[in-house]
């Protein structure tokens, strides 16, 4: 089996658990945050820097690499690990979400999705079979089934028809899976914000026995309490012996709340995206370092952080670089934000080990809300 989940410890206070996901390129300690490397790079970070902050796995996007440079070039390079010089695990999503969020002129049929590239308007087609061919060429350790992520809000009838097609597409992905011993294939549970549909989607997909299950269709504009509600009734329908991956999440509070509800894997562009406009995550909340108030502040971004950025550079210096549009400034804020979330997940795992995750949440939230810029 390419990907196997090892349950280490079930938290006594909550649905959280400690685990390990074993893959051909290494082990992922869970709950885990996965830095996003959309176009075969975690923006401004080198693989060595990602290892220095102890990222166990990164995510890359099938849609983007399919459009540019094309999966055949990555395959000729020896696969994505070789192409981007990353020898630890890689998870690739299947492109379904990006087709709906990025491309124009989409036409969705039972066969797949016809769309125009957001880069140059070229006609393109993605389907379960094509998504599997692309991810096979990329050589990722964990592949995602091709799915439709319905918009929010969406009518019950639309979501039901959509999830039933996503289930049929998942079956086609299984059939098209060329290397089950080298690549794990996760199915994606849909069903919108409807309990009956989430349970139907989860039951249909778990009956096909995938090595892992993602919860999709969330973090699409719904209020956070609604996302947590969906998790409350969806996670219990998933097998305890398989990893659960919450797609597109998230912010520090969502990572903690999702872990409490038994989620094992998370990904989000937030830390890298906000870093590029000079916004950083600190133990006291968000800090917008480009703010004039930091012009003569010679302390670190976060006094409680031990990362390369916080050990060597001041808020005043980083603010100067950001204002001067110096790339090094973006690298410093990105490094810190990624380290912040990876460190948060290390603290979450330690709290689960010591059965104090709910207390950890309360103390984190108490300090995280403090900062106002
Ligand atoms: C940023 N939010 C987000 N929601 C997502 C849902 C999916 C999905 N396949 O339902 C994938 C990526 C996602 N990213
Ligand atoms: Zn730092």
């Amino acid at each position: 089996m390419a990907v196997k989940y090892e349950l280490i410890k079930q938290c006594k206070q909550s649905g959280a658990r400690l685990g390990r996901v074993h893959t051909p390129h290494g082990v992922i300690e869970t709950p885990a945050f996965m830095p996003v490397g959309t176009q075969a790079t975690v923006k401004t970070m080198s693989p060595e820097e990602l290892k220095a902050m102890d990222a166990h796995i990164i995510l890359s996007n099938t849609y983007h690499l399919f459009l540019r440079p094309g999966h055949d070039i990555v395959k000729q390079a020896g696969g994505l690990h070789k192409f981007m010089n990353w020898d630890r695990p890689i998870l690739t999503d299947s492109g379904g979400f990006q087709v709906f969020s990025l491309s124009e002129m989409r036409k969705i049929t039972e066969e797949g999705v016809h769309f125009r590239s957001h880069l140059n308007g070229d006609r393109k087609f993605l389907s379960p079979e094509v998504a599997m061919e692309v991810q096979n060429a990329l050589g990722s350790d964990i592949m995602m089934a091709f799915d439709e992520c319905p918009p929010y809000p969406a009518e019950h009838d639309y979501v039901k028809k959509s999830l039933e097609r996503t289930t049929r597409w998942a079956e086609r992905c299984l059939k098209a899976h060329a290397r089950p011993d080298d690549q794990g294939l996760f199915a994606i549970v849909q069903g919108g914000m409807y309990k009956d549909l989430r349970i139907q989607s989860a039951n249909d997909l778990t009956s096909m026995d995938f090595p892992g299950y993602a919860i999709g269709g969330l973090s699409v504009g719904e209020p956070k309490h609604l996302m947590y509600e969906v998790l409350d009734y969806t996670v219990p329908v998933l097998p305890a012996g398989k990893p659960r991956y919450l797609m597109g999440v998230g912010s520090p509070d969502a990572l903690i709340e999702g872990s409490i509800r038994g989620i094992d894997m998370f990904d989000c562009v937030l830390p890298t995206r906000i870093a590029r406009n000079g916004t950083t995550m600190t133990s006291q909340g968000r800090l917008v370092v480009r703010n004039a108030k930091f012009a003569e502040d010679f302390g670190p971004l976060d006094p409680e952080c031990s990362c390369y950025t916080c050990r060597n550079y001041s808020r005043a210096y980083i603010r100067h670089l950001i204002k001067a549009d110096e790339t090094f400034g973006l690298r410093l804020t990105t490094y810190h934000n990624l380290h912040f979330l990876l460190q948060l997940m290390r603290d979450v795992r330690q709290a689960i080990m010591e059965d104090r995750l709910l207390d950890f949440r309360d103390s984190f939230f108490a300090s995280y809300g403090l900062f106002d810029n």
Side-chain angles (χ1 to χ4, degrees):
M1 178 72 86
V3 170
K4 267 195 90 56
Y5 179 68
E6 180 191 0
L7 177 59
I8 307 284
K9 174 189 166 88
Q10 175 60 50
C11 176
K12 293 193 176 67
Q13 277 189 334
S14 72
R17 74 259 190 88
L18 271 187
R20 288 196 191 100
V21 178
H22 296 267
T23 82
H25 280 88
V27 181
I28 304 136
E29 304 282 346
T30 61
F33 173 74
M34 302 184 283
V36 176
T38 297
Q39 302 187 104
T41 168
V42 177
K43 289 184 175 25
T44 78
M45 291 289 100
S46 70
E48 291 71 22
E49 287 166 328
L50 291 168
K51 285 185 178 174
M53 57 179 86
D54 202 21
H56 292 173
I57 178 171
I58 62 162
L59 184 140
S60 203
N61 289 123
T62 295
Y63 172 86
H64 291 83
L65 298 174
F66 174 57
L67 295 188
R68 183 177 56 188
H71 57 292
D72 50 334
I73 287 180
V74 179
K75 186 171 185 176
Q76 284 174 51
L80 192 52
H81 288 88
K82 192 92 174 56
F83 192 50
M84 66 183 291
N85 187 33
W86 175 255
D87 61 4
R88 292 185 178 186
I90 297 175
L91 181 149
T92 47
D93 72 359
S94 59
F97 181 78
Q98 278 76 25
V99 162
F100 292 101
S101 56
L102 283 178
S103 70
E104 292 105 31
M105 307 284 283
R106 293 179 301 274
K107 184 172 181 313
I108 181 167
T109 66
E110 183 65 25
E111 189 52 26
V113 188
H114 298 270
F115 62 96
R116 284 187 181 278
S117 161
H118 72 287
L119 297 175
N120 57 17
D122 284 0
R123 288 179 188 284
K124 295 287 180 180
F125 176 67
L126 265 179
S127 67
E129 292 76 17
V130 173
M132 291 300 287
E133 178 200 332
V134 174
Q135 294 179 87
N136 179 284
L138 299 177
S140 46
D141 299 277
I142 299 175
M143 305 189 289
M144 302 309 291
F146 188 69
D147 67 328
E148 180 194 359
C149 172
Y152 171 79
E155 292 297 318
H156 187 277
D157 185 49
Y158 179 87
V159 174
K160 180 171 173 59
K161 287 193 171 58
S162 169
L163 84 84
E164 287 165 353
R165 178 168 52 214
T166 286
T167 297
R168 293 192 296 273
W169 283 357
E171 222 160 354
R172 283 168 52 187
C173 286
L174 270 180
K175 287 199 181 77
H177 192 182
R179 293 191 298 162
D181 291 341
D182 301 322
Q183 297 181 281
L185 173 61
F186 284 17
I188 304 178
V189 175
Q190 292 292 353
M193 311 302 155
Y194 301 102
K195 183 173 183 177
D196 61 324
L197 299 184
R198 282 282 173 185
I199 291 170
Q200 177 187 343
S201 176
N203 285 335
D204 291 351
L205 294 171
T206 52
S207 68
M208 291 186 242
D209 192 21
F210 286 87
Y213 295 92
I215 297 179
L218 293 175
S219 190
V220 287
E222 78 282 3
K224 268 185 188 161
H225 71 84
L226 195 45
M227 176 168 79
Y228 299 149
E229 228 175 275
V230 171
L231 296 182
D232 285 339
Y233 56 68
T234 304
V235 171
V237 190
L238 299 177
K242 302 283 176 70
R244 299 115 175 213
Y245 162 29
L246 177 54
M247 304 182 85
V249 172
S251 55
D253 50 316
L255 293 178
I256 296 172
E257 293 290 1
S259 299
I260 286 171
R261 289 164 173 80
I263 297 295
D264 305 303
M265 298 161 72
F266 303 85
D267 87 272
C268 188
V269 294
L270 191 70
T272 40
R273 181 169 293 171
I274 63 171
R276 292 197 292 283
N277 62 34
T279 301
T280 59
M281 300 168 172
T282 78
S283 45
Q284 275 81 47
R286 280 194 178 196
L287 183 149
V288 182
V289 73
R290 66 182 308 131
N291 189 314
K293 72 193 287 189
F294 300 118
E296 297 174 30
D297 181 337
F298 301 102
L301 285 177
D302 184 349
E304 292 178 30
C305 181
S306 62
C307 86
Y308 167 73
T309 298
C310 294
R311 288 198 319 275
N312 295 291
Y313 305 95
S314 69
R315 291 170 177 178
Y317 176 66
I318 296 168
R319 176 179 182 275
H320 157 64
L321 293 181
I322 299 276
K323 297 289 280 184
D325 214 11
E326 282 290 347
T327 310
F328 189 49
L330 307 185
R331 281 179 31 76
L332 291 173
T333 53
T334 299
Y335 191 108
H336 167 78
N337 283 352
L338 287 172
H339 179 278
F340 182 86
L341 288 188
L342 291 165
Q343 184 58 46
L344 174 62
M345 298 318 284
R346 284 188 281 270
D347 294 342
V348 162
R349 296 196 293 267
Q350 190 61 34
I352 295 170
M353 178 61 85
E354 298 167 3
D355 287 317
R356 56 177 177 78
L357 183 58
L358 297 186
D359 309 324
F360 173 78
R361 171 187 59 185
D362 296 347
S363 61
F364 182 89
F365 283 17
S367 73
Y368 192 70
L370 281 190
F371 228 89
D372 64 336
N373 290 282

